Amino acid sequence: MKEPPLSTLRGFVTLHVTGPQVEKFINAVAEAGIVIWEVKPAGDGASLNLLLDDFFALRPLLKKTGCRMHVTARNGLPFRAARLWRRKLFAAGIFLFGVTLLLFCSMIWTIRVEGNKLIASDDILAAARQEGVYPYQWIWRMEDPDKLSKKLASRVPGISWVGVERTGTSITIQVVEADRPESKPLLSQRHLVSRTDAVVTEIYAEQGRPVVGIHSRVKKGQILISGALGDEENTQYVVAKGEVKGLVWHEYNIEVPLKTTSSSYTGERKDRTYLVLGDWAVQLWGYGKSGFDKSRTLTENNMLTWRSLQLPLGVMTEKELQVQYTSSVKTAEEARADGIARAKNDILARYGADSTIKSQKILHEKKDNGKVYMKVLFEVEEKIAEELPIVNN
Amino acid sequence: MTRIGRRLRGWTNGVLDLPQDVLQELPRITLIGNKELHIENHRGVLNFSSGQLTIALVNGSLEISGEGLMIRNILGQELAVEGIIGEIRYKGSEEKP
């Protein structure tokens, strides 16, 4: 044991004792049960350490032994506290800093809302504010997160779940929106009219009043399903809905060349890379000729950009691709089948994939200038209904 | 202490094989290298300087000489000396038992 326990907390002083018989003084101190340590001979006397509590018991001993002492150093908390007390403003500053830091740490600084798509974040934040969750709110004044999330969920409509989580001084409000039924498109009152001249083969009215029957011949623009219900005096307009199919005739003029030429890439290619500086391009790689007799060149520019600004510096790549041409000759039969198939595809693409071709008839056929010319009549069953809004004057 | 008492003590020591410092008030001196010296059962400091330290014992004195001697702590019966210890001389003034 070098020194008594907690000597720095209790405070101790270093004394310099001088006198005719320092040894006697030391013995007297030891006998009185006063703890001293680090007794060093110094100068004409001795220096020693002593607890602050025992300091005032020293006076009679000094008198008895005829020694004199003076204090050379003061150590420990009591002396520090006294020194700090002398600088009150400084001490107050330290205290204030601690308090301010503590207060700022127990304050909400940011609130984030996550997981919302349709509901505005501001609405959720406004609801949270009414529940006492807003920036610069004290954390201890807020309710428990589970209670908060329950209240928030009942306050904001269209939310199925809310989770409130606090990490430090920021709050995250996790939102799960309730599924909404799909909104139906708003439709205006209308008739269904014929798109073209046709013979009706099928009519089904989901809403509205069918006006024409099966096998009746209709003109373009004629009403098929009427959106007007009731008689002339009491009329109510509805949105006519339904499906009407009819036979329609299409006449196609087809011409098919007998000899066709097509090009294709062989897969051989040669790349050239250039460094572009303004209007100048310096070739970097791919010197030499490609050796292709027929080729196509594709150029690709990769200019450096900074934000939206394009810099006059970049890399240009040229790809030279070898091309081969092949030609084939068809017979008249093949050309005819080809042309009719193309016309059928055109019909399906134009009038809907559920159209069916009932019959076809080649009206005229001619072979001339290496081409086959044909006139074909198609009888097609297709949808003929078209919407016509009802305008009330 | 009477003569008989002292003899009785000496005899008890011999029979029970007890350490001397427990029964008689003899100092126990512990030396750790040449750096530290612990003395129990001392009777105060007689002379004190950085080169020489004289400590009173029950029967005699202990002279310690060395360099940079310092009393690390001193309590009623215990004393610890620190420094470079060169020489220890025990000056007995024991009367014959």
Side-chain angles (χ1 to χ4, degrees):
Chain A
M1 187 195 72
K2 198 168 180 183
E3 54 199 50
L6 301 176
S7 61
T8 50
L9 265 179
R10 291 152 81 184
F12 64 94
V13 289
T14 307
L15 300 178
H16 189 237
V17 183
T18 51
Q21 283 200 301
V22 178
E23 293 83 4
K24 251 191 184 169
F25 169 72
I26 291 168
N27 290 340
V29 166
E31 239 163 74
I34 296 169
V35 183
I36 54 173
W37 68 97
E38 279 187 28
V39 186
K40 273 181 269 187
D44 52 346
S47 87
L48 52 91
N49 285 0
L50 179 84
L51 276 179
L52 181 61
D53 305 335
D54 299 329
F55 182 74
F56 298 101
L58 223 58
R59 187 172 281 267
L61 298 176
L62 283 166
K63 238 174 207 173
K64 209 165 70 185
T65 54
C67 290
R68 302 175 67 83
M69 62 116 186
H70 66 263
V71 179
T72 51
R74 301 173 178 86
N75 299 300
L77 191 67
F79 297 108
R80 271 170 195 279
R83 206 179 310 157
L84 205 61
W85 185 245
R86 247 176 283 144
R87 303 179 62 183
K88 289 183 198 68
L89 225 61
F90 181 68
I94 291 176
F95 181 71
L96 205 69
F97 171 76
V99 168
T100 317
L101 195 68
L102 201 74
L103 287 181
F104 280 6
C105 285
S106 55
M107 202 183 240
I108 294 296
W109 286 97
T110 51
I111 299 178
R112 275 185 305 144
V113 180
E114 283 178 359
N116 56 328
K117 283 188 202 119
L118 298 172
I119 301 168
S121 292
D122 287 343
D123 292 354
I124 296 166
L125 287 178
R129 178 174 284 273
Q130 283 181 327
E131 292 298 339
V133 180
Y134 49 86
Y136 313 123
Q137 162 77 303
W138 301 114
I139 286 169
W140 66 74
R141 282 184 61 188
M142 276 182 1
E143 281 186 90
D144 287 344
D146 51 340
K147 279 185 194 165
L148 270 179
S149 56
K150 238 180 237 174
K151 284 188 178 177
L152 271 181
S154 62
R155 201 177 265 278
V156 184
I159 281 184
S160 61
W161 183 83
V162 177
V164 179
E165 194 187 9
R166 183 178 70 82
T167 43
T169 59
S170 69
I171 280 192
T172 310
I173 300 176
Q174 193 87 31
V175 172
V176 177
E177 288 177 359
D179 284 339
R180 289 184 186 180
E182 273 181 49
S183 56
K184 287 178 186 168
L186 290 171
L187 298 173
S188 60
Q189 299 154 347
R190 68 190 185 193
H191 298 299
L192 290 183
V193 299
S194 179
R195 176 167 50 78
T196 173
D197 294 0
V199 174
V200 176
T201 57
E202 196 184 314
I203 180 159
Y204 160 68
E206 194 186 325
Q207 203 171 61
R209 185 167 47 91
V211 181
V212 294
I214 296 175
H215 304 309
S216 60
R217 190 174 282 272
V218 291
K219 293 263 179 207
K220 183 179 180 180
Q222 192 179 335
I223 293 176
L224 303 173
I225 299 173
S226 170
L229 302 180
D231 54 13
E232 274 143 19
E233 283 167 21
N234 301 306
T235 317
Q236 196 185 353
Y237 292 104
V238 296
V239 179
K241 268 189 220 166
E243 204 176 77
V244 185
K245 278 186 173 180
L247 281 179
V248 186
W249 291 269
H250 298 288
E251 206 178 86
Y252 270 79
N253 281 313
I254 303 166
E255 54 174 78
V256 184
L258 289 173
K259 192 183 171 190
T260 53
T261 310
S262 64
S263 69
S264 64
Y265 294 126
T266 60
E268 293 295 317
R269 66 184 249 197
K270 181 164 177 62
D271 291 0
R272 294 190 186 88
T273 309
Y274 298 87
L275 180 71
V276 180
L277 296 160
D279 292 341
W280 297 75
V282 182
Q283 190 171 5
L284 296 178
W285 289 287
Y287 284 99
K289 283 185 178 160
S290 63
F292 305 144
D293 50 348
K294 275 167 188 162
S295 65
R296 209 170 286 168
T297 304
L298 304 175
T299 311
E300 197 178 297
N301 265 316
N302 279 318
M303 301 303 281
L304 275 179
T305 53
W306 186 72
R307 303 223 169 143
S308 61
L309 194 74
Q310 201 179 50
L311 305 176
L313 186 74
V315 172
M316 183 174 78
T317 315
E318 256 184 17
K319 288 179 196 165
E320 195 178 344
L321 302 157
Q322 195 183 20
V323 178
Q324 69 183 9
Y325 294 93
T326 49
S327 58
S328 61
V329 180
K330 284 182 213 165
T331 62
E333 278 299 312
E334 281 171 347
R336 192 188 301 148
D338 219 26
I340 287 169
R342 221 188 295 162
K344 280 181 178 174
N345 281 337
D346 185 65
I347 286 168
L348 290 182
R350 267 185 213 223
Y351 306 113
D354 54 352
S355 311
T356 48
I357 291 155
K358 290 287 177 191
S359 66
Q360 69 190 49
K361 198 173 194 179
I362 298 172
L363 302 176
H364 177 74
E365 191 180 350
K366 183 174 75 173
K367 198 172 146 190
D368 199 8
N369 292 335
K371 278 185 179 175
V372 172
Y373 296 89
M374 283 189 297
K375 194 183 252 186
V376 188
L377 186 73
F378 291 100
E379 195 183 32
V380 183
E381 189 183 9
E382 62 182 47
K383 280 182 191 167
I384 57 169
E386 196 182 41
E387 292 158 14
L388 178 75
I390 299 167
V391 181
N392 290 317
N393 295 328
Chain B
M1 202 177 283
T2 59
R3 185 177 285 259
I4 297 170
R6 210 176 288 146
R7 290 190 79 163
L8 192 66
R9 258 192 178 194
W11 177 81
T12 327
N13 287 355
V15 170
L16 297 178
D17 198 15
L18 289 169
Q20 294 282 310
D21 64 320
V22 178
L23 289 166
Q24 301 182 27
E25 283 187 305
L26 292 180
R28 172 183 277 255
I29 301 168
T30 316
L31 182 68
I32 302 170
N34 64 345
K35 291 195 170 65
E36 270 179 50
L37 184 72
H38 294 261
I39 303 158
E40 290 161 50
N41 258 336
H42 69 93
R43 285 290 176 270
V45 183
L46 292 179
N47 186 21
F48 180 50
S49 71
S50 66
Q52 177 121 18
L53 187 60
T54 313
I55 291 157
L57 300 172
V58 179
N59 40 22
S61 63
L62 192 71
E63 268 183 29
I64 306 154
S65 52
E67 287 171 46
L69 294 179
M70 166 185 125
I71 300 174
R72 206 174 70 176
N73 52 12
I74 177 164
L75 284 164
Q77 298 290 309
E78 255 182 73
L79 190 144
V81 179
E82 213 178 63
I84 298 163
I85 294 155
E87 202 177 311
I88 304 167
R89 183 172 296 166
Y90 196 113
K91 282 185 175 168
S93 63
E94 196 182 8
E95 46 190 304
K96 290 268 161 46

